[in-house]
């Protein structure tokens, strides 16, 4: 049974009409970068809860979550309407295995995300621990429109911090945007455009692929990598090349 604690809203950032982030303070237990917590509100006598990944590093007392507002959703419109000082509930203990310690060593670590699923990667990179196992890290954020690249400034700061090790690549599917590839992640892998843009090969012998986000993207990319690159899902008992997390 999850233990719930109260959290105080410190800030709500509205990136677009649908994308927003919530920063709260709460007496949580230590978590590992890449994990998620559950946020909840009491609505009509019912505790309505959803899982969201931490964006912040574990050593940051400001707990940040990146969300999309679904107009017909039961919880997200209420979270979208929160103000500074409001109270919400959060699970004291984090969960999830989408963390670096679960990954094998490799030459190039690919972090592929769609939408709000950029969150766990930002937490991992802001934490900055255990990353020296990888010669290259590629952070790919795929969105529908360029305006949805909410954390691009932070991504660029991280690229400077990891000079020469971290490469970032944005992908926009519904318009052309300078500096971004156009299309979907599976198609850009299949065509070779993603590797050409980053200057790094995506091969089973020296790559590990992290996939987080839209379940269709995750499934399509897994299937493509399995069929065209000879990659397989990574398991503790049977090491592989792909670690994934669906975002809903």
């Amino acid at each position: 049974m999850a233990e719930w604690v109260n959290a105080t809203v410190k800030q709500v950032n509205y990136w677009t009409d649908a994308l927003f982030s919530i920063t709260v303070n709460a007496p949580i237990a230590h978590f590992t970068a890449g994990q998620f917590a559950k946020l909840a509100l009491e609505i009509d006598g019912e505790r309505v809860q959803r899982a969201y990944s931490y964006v912040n590093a574990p050593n940051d007392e400001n707990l940040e979550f990146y969300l999309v507002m679904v107009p017909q959703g039961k919880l997200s419109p209420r979270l979208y309407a929160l103000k500074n000082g409001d109270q919400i509930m959060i699970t004291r203990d984090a969960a999830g295995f989408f963390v670096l310690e679960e990954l094998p060593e490799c030459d190039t670590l690919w972090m592929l995300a769609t939408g709000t699923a950029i969150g766990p990667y930002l937490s991992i990179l802001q934490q900055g621990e255990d990353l020296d196992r990888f010669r290259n890290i590629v952070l790919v954020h795929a969105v529908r429109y360029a305006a949805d690249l909410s954390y691009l400034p932070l991504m660029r700061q991280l690229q400077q911090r990891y000079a020469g090790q971290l490469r970032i690549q944005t992908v926009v599917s519904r318009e052309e945007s300078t500096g971004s590839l156009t299309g979907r992640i599976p198609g850009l892998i299949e065509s070779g455009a993603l590797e050409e843009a980053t200057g790094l090969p995506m091969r089973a012998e020296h790559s590990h692929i992290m996939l987080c986000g839209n379940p269709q993207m995750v499934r399509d990319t897994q299937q493509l990598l399995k069929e065209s690159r000879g990659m397989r899902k990574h398991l503790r008992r049977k090491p592989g090349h792909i670690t994934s997390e669906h975002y809903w």
Side-chain angles (χ1 to χ4, degrees):
M1 182 72 69
E3 179 183 349
W4 293 88
V5 296
N6 290 325
T8 301
V9 176
K10 304 300 290 185
Q11 187 174 3
V12 182
N13 284 330
Y14 301 100
W15 303 104
T16 68
D17 290 342
L19 295 170
F20 66 109
S21 59
I22 297 176
T23 302
V24 305
N25 290 151
I28 62 165
H30 181 77
F31 70 91
T32 302
Q35 289 190 307
F36 63 86
K38 290 183 179 179
L39 303 181
L41 287 170
E42 290 285 344
I43 302 174
D44 298 327
E46 175 191 0
R47 179 185 290 156
V48 180
Q49 58 184 276
R50 299 288 185 271
Y52 300 104
S53 293
Y54 287 100
V55 174
N56 59 285
N59 56 5
D60 191 341
E61 66 178 13
N62 294 312
L63 312 177
E64 186 174 356
F65 303 92
Y66 186 34
L67 298 78
V68 59
M69 198 275 284
V70 181
Q72 295 79 29
K74 201 167 185 178
L75 182 62
S76 64
R78 305 291 186 102
L79 296 175
Y80 188 85
L82 290 172
K83 305 298 182 184
N84 292 0
D86 285 347
Q87 298 286 305
I88 63 174
M89 290 174 285
I90 183 172
T91 47
R92 181 180 181 275
D93 296 304
F97 298 97
F98 199 68
V99 297
L100 287 185
E101 64 186 51
E102 294 290 331
L103 306 185
E105 291 189 20
C106 65
D107 189 62
T108 301
L109 177 63
W110 295 80
M111 297 176 162
L112 311 184
T114 58
T116 56
I118 192 70
Y121 298 133
L122 296 178
S123 180
I124 290 169
L125 290 168
Q126 289 187 94
Q127 177 73 348
E129 294 182 358
D130 202 29
L131 291 172
D132 54 0
R133 295 191 291 133
F134 313 106
R135 179 181 300 176
N136 304 298
I137 303 170
V138 184
L139 177 62
V140 179
H141 190 197
V143 297
R144 293 180 299 173
Y145 301 100
D148 299 335
L149 294 167
S150 310
Y151 286 92
L152 184 56
L154 175 57
M155 292 165 63
R156 287 173 173 160
Q157 289 176 19
L158 290 167
Q159 187 176 32
Q160 292 181 348
R161 174 178 166 184
Y162 297 100
Q165 183 186 21
L166 174 64
R167 307 183 192 194
I168 61 172
Q169 180 61 56
T170 54
V171 177
V172 178
S173 63
R174 297 190 181 182
E175 63 181 5
E176 292 190 2
S177 176
T178 302
S180 297
L181 294 174
T182 305
R184 295 179 65 244
I185 286 176
L188 295 171
I189 294 174
E190 186 173 24
S191 69
L194 183 58
E195 292 163 282
E196 182 179 356
T198 60
L200 291 168
M202 187 180 288
R203 299 289 184 266
E205 57 268 26
H206 48 61
S207 299
H208 194 89
I209 319 298
M210 297 181 77
L211 299 172
C212 190
N214 184 308
Q216 191 63 55
M217 180 280 289
V218 173
R219 286 192 293 268
D220 290 349
T221 306
Q222 285 177 326
Q223 189 66 24
L224 173 66
L225 294 174
K226 178 182 177 181
E227 294 177 353
S228 66
R229 308 296 172 100
M231 296 184 180
R232 62 178 181 270
K233 185 176 180 179
H234 177 66
L235 302 170
R236 284 180 177 176
R237 63 183 182 277
K238 188 176 181 182
H241 318 91
I242 305 169
T243 298
S244 63
E245 183 161 275
H246 291 189
Y247 228 56
W248 63 79

